[in-house]
Amino acid sequence: DLTNFYNQYKSIEPWLKRKDVKAKGQAEYFQSREDRAKLDGMYECILCACCMTSCPSYWWNPEYYLGPAVLMQAYRWIADSRDQFTEERLAWVNDTMKLYRCHGIMNCTNCCPKGLDPAKAIVHLKEEVAATYKDGWKSMMTEQITKNKG
């Protein structure tokens, strides 16, 4: 049953989020070749969940730990230069149970049928959180969650 996996995937809001609206007649959000190359090795994920099922941290904490596939996809949107919710995404994932249950065992990377490296994406995600952490994130996230309730 992959219900928990797909709910966790949905929780990272895996779509482009913008704070400004496209100008009339603008068809796309452009990015440089360099920025596009940052997404290589992440967008190819087919969400098969092999990495999730091979991860001991996910076995022990499936209800809290987001797991390798979801964290790699979270980083995919954080690394996307077209997305304007980087700070909010980082604040949301910065949690002892969501992100920091990864202990670098590397089973996820070893079993990926596409040859992707979720462990590397998780390392980059942790580095990004550490480099941009702000004490005000908690209040920002409370405000953001309040806005999302429909």
Side-chain angles (χ1 to χ4, degrees):
D1 180 18
L2 292 173
T3 303
N4 187 52
F5 168 65
Y6 287 119
N7 285 336
Q8 289 175 326
Y9 179 65
K10 183 176 139 184
S11 77
I12 64 163
E13 299 180 341
W15 52 82
L16 189 65
K17 293 175 67 177
R18 302 280 298 184
K19 294 178 181 175
D20 62 354
V21 181
K22 280 191 276 188
K24 189 172 182 171
Q26 182 184 4
E28 308 171 353
Y29 295 111
F30 293 104
Q31 66 184 160
S32 69
R33 290 181 190 269
E34 295 80 20
D35 285 343
R36 170 55 189 77
K38 292 176 185 176
L39 306 180
D40 288 345
M42 293 185 286
Y43 78 87
E44 300 94 340
C45 178
I46 59 173
L47 301 176
C48 66
C50 287
C51 59
M52 308 289 272
T53 59
S54 73
C55 176
S57 294
Y58 194 73
W59 302 340
W60 301 322
N61 304 287
E63 63 281 356
Y64 304 113
Y65 176 53
L66 293 179
V70 173
L71 289 171
M72 182 169 67
Q73 291 308 301
Y75 184 65
R76 178 258 178 269
W77 292 103
I78 288 165
D80 194 320
S81 62
R82 301 166 298 170
D83 191 272
Q84 294 178 329
F85 278 75
T86 300
E87 186 176 5
E88 292 84 351
R89 291 179 188 277
L90 287 168
W92 189 84
V93 80
N94 183 25
D95 179 87
T96 304
M97 293 304 287
K98 289 178 188 170
L99 175 60
Y100 293 98
R101 293 295 95 196
C102 175
H103 300 293
I105 297 169
M106 304 287 290
N107 284 2
C108 56
T109 298
N110 291 334
C111 78
C112 180
K114 298 282 284 182
L116 305 179
D117 192 350
K120 179 180 171 185
I122 293 169
V123 167
H124 288 308
L125 184 54
K126 288 178 179 180
E127 288 171 348
E128 188 90 18
V129 166
T132 60
Y133 176 76
K134 296 179 183 174
D135 282 334
W137 275 4
K138 188 172 186 174
S139 62
M140 178 183 61
M141 288 314 302
T142 303
E143 179 183 331
Q144 191 67 31
I145 291 167
T146 303
K147 286 182 193 177
N148 289 343
K149 290 186 178 176

